[in-house]
Amino acid sequence: MQLQIALRDLLVGILTLTVVSCELPPRQKAATPEGTILTTVENDQIRPDEEYVMVTTAISMPMYVNHDQAAFKRWGQKMGVKTAILGPSEWDVPAQIETIEQVIASRPAGLLINGTDPGIAQAINKAVAAGIPTVVYDSDVPNSKRHAFLGTDWYQIGLMQGEEMVRLTGGQGKIAYMGILGLTNMEAGFQGLLDVLKKYPKMQVVGKYDDKANVELAAKITSDVLAAHPDLAGICGFDSNSGPGIALAVKEAGKAGKVKITTVDWEPEHLQLVKDGVIQMLAGQKRELFTWYGAQFLFDMVHRTNRLSSNDAASGITNVPTTINTGLLRITKENVDQFLKK
């Protein structure tokens, strides 16, 4: 723990030194609808030191690295602007908030924030109040003043899993589901699942479980549920590690293909489990779109790419879409090869 604290302090120190020494592009200011000040550059010329910053938590999570962060970096390279990705290595929302507040002091061109928890709303509001174009991605923080949000409708993820489970089981049998309990997005997903299942009286929900995004815990929970309900028909997973954990336990019980599995995300391990017939469907998010277009929204706000009036900010107009649903991928054994070859 002391080592983690030391590393975090070092990161904050490096960040602080970096932002203090960074000479950011000159900006002019205009009033936003909320009466705050939106920072924009004086013309459309991209400046060599123009920097956009992504702040997330669990920064080293492969799903974030391979999808969100890779797309953000590619965008920066294509546009010829600087990008930085900051945040704690573990799922640590207070540390993410601390990072956002440190970044605000650096006055980057734009802030792209992973909406991990409603608790980050105040930090987002501070960024907006400081005149920094601020876009939230992945999960919305509706109680904040963010300028825009891009992400998946998690209720739709629940509907997709529920409808697929009904199809796989013929609309009857015992079902369990798991994820990270209490998160706004996952609770919306759970509700979508339940809203489908309640139309099928021959389907029974035997439990809702918190696997804390941990593969080993998801596997243990699944083993326990299978022991308590040998006739279990299916399990739905809602966080990135639910599927691999569920699949591990189902395989160990010798019930691969018999107990139906639907889950989220499409990392290589998930895709191979679909290929092997252990998982029947993945509800995949179009994560690359979150950060690519989120960054583009920031750029368009800074450069006023699309002007809707002589002075959009003074007119109370945001010149980018305020809410974008990036949609879902339905991955099954029929189309999984297309994603394995990506």
Side-chain angles (χ1 to χ4, degrees):
M1 179 61 74
Q2 290 180 341
L3 178 59
Q4 291 178 334
I5 293 173
L7 289 173
R8 182 180 305 167
D9 290 344
L10 178 61
L11 171 62
V12 170
I14 292 173
L15 173 61
T16 302
L17 289 172
T18 300
V19 299
V20 167
S21 62
C22 180
E23 185 179 347
L24 296 173
R27 301 174 171 93
Q28 65 183 36
K29 299 177 179 180
T32 65
E34 295 79 15
T36 57
I37 302 299
L38 181 66
T39 303
T40 59
V41 296
E42 295 178 348
N43 53 53
D44 292 337
Q45 185 69 39
I46 297 174
R47 300 176 185 278
D49 55 354
E50 189 169 318
E51 184 177 46
Y52 296 83
V53 179
M54 171 192 285
V55 182
T56 183
T57 190
I59 194 170
S60 57
M61 182 185 293
M63 181 178 69
Y64 290 169
V65 173
N66 297 333
H67 298 275
D68 310 14
Q69 297 170 20
F72 183 59
K73 290 177 180 176
R74 281 194 294 110
W75 175 84
Q77 291 168 356
K78 178 179 176 62
M79 299 299 291
V81 298
K82 291 183 177 180
T83 56
I85 301 168
L86 300 173
S89 59
E90 303 296 330
W91 188 274
D92 187 339
V93 173
Q96 184 191 12
I97 293 171
E98 181 181 344
T99 304
I100 294 170
E101 294 186 343
Q102 290 284 338
V103 173
I104 290 171
S106 78
R107 298 192 63 78
L111 256 176
L112 188 59
I113 298 176
N114 189 343
T116 52
D117 188 277
I120 68 175
Q122 289 190 355
I124 291 171
N125 293 346
K126 288 180 181 178
V128 173
I132 301 170
T134 303
V135 169
V136 172
Y137 72 93
D138 200 353
S139 296
D140 199 2
V141 185
N143 59 330
S144 75
K145 295 181 179 178
R146 90 292 190 273
H147 292 108
F149 163 72
L150 303 90
T152 304
D153 183 335
W154 273 77
Y155 183 77
Q156 291 294 326
I157 289 181
L159 291 180
M160 178 183 279
Q161 291 208 61
E163 290 166 355
E164 187 71 10
M165 190 58 70
V166 168
R167 189 186 72 79
L168 291 167
T169 63
Q172 58 185 353
K174 295 179 179 178
I175 299 295
Y177 62 101
M178 67 179 67
I180 305 173
L181 305 191
L183 287 186
T184 302
N185 57 355
M186 289 196 193
E187 292 295 339
F190 297 154
Q191 190 58 54
L193 171 70
L194 296 178
D195 284 349
V196 172
L197 298 183
K198 69 183 181 184
K199 302 173 186 175
Y200 296 87
K202 292 184 179 180
M203 299 194 77
Q204 177 188 354
V205 177
V206 300
K208 169 184 177 181
Y209 302 96
D210 189 348
D211 63 21
K212 304 185 186 302
N214 181 284
V215 172
E216 290 74 21
L217 183 54
K220 182 180 184 307
I221 291 170
T222 301
S223 294
D224 292 344
V225 173
L226 289 172
H229 304 280
D231 56 344
L232 193 74
I235 308 180
C236 303
F238 281 85
D239 67 64
S240 188
N241 289 328
S242 297
I246 295 168
L248 177 64
V250 168
K251 284 195 294 184
E252 287 181 351
K255 294 188 175 184
K258 298 176 183 176
V259 174
K260 308 301 183 185
I261 302 173
T262 67
T263 188
V264 298
D265 295 329
W266 50 290
E267 294 306 294
E269 184 177 11
H270 296 71
L271 295 172
Q272 190 58 49
L273 287 164
V274 172
K275 180 78 172 177
D276 295 342
V278 181
I279 292 176
Q280 279 65 51
M281 189 208 74
L282 302 174
Q285 300 177 82
K286 300 176 182 176
R287 303 196 66 90
E288 283 78 357
L289 306 191
F290 298 167
T291 50
W292 181 282
Y293 289 106
Q296 188 63 43
F297 280 9
L298 292 171
F299 183 92
D300 289 342
M301 292 174 69
V302 170
H303 289 270
R304 296 183 289 174
T305 303
N306 292 298
R307 302 184 186 188
L308 307 177
S309 69
S310 60
N311 189 327
D312 290 347
S315 300
I317 299 170
T318 301
N319 70 337
V320 297
T322 53
T323 303
I324 293 292
N325 178 359
T326 47
L328 290 172
L329 304 170
R330 178 178 178 274
I331 302 175
T332 67
K333 200 165 187 177
E334 284 68 38
N335 65 354
V336 69
D337 286 342
Q338 299 300 321
F339 296 93
L340 281 167
K341 294 174 182 175
K342 178 177 177 291

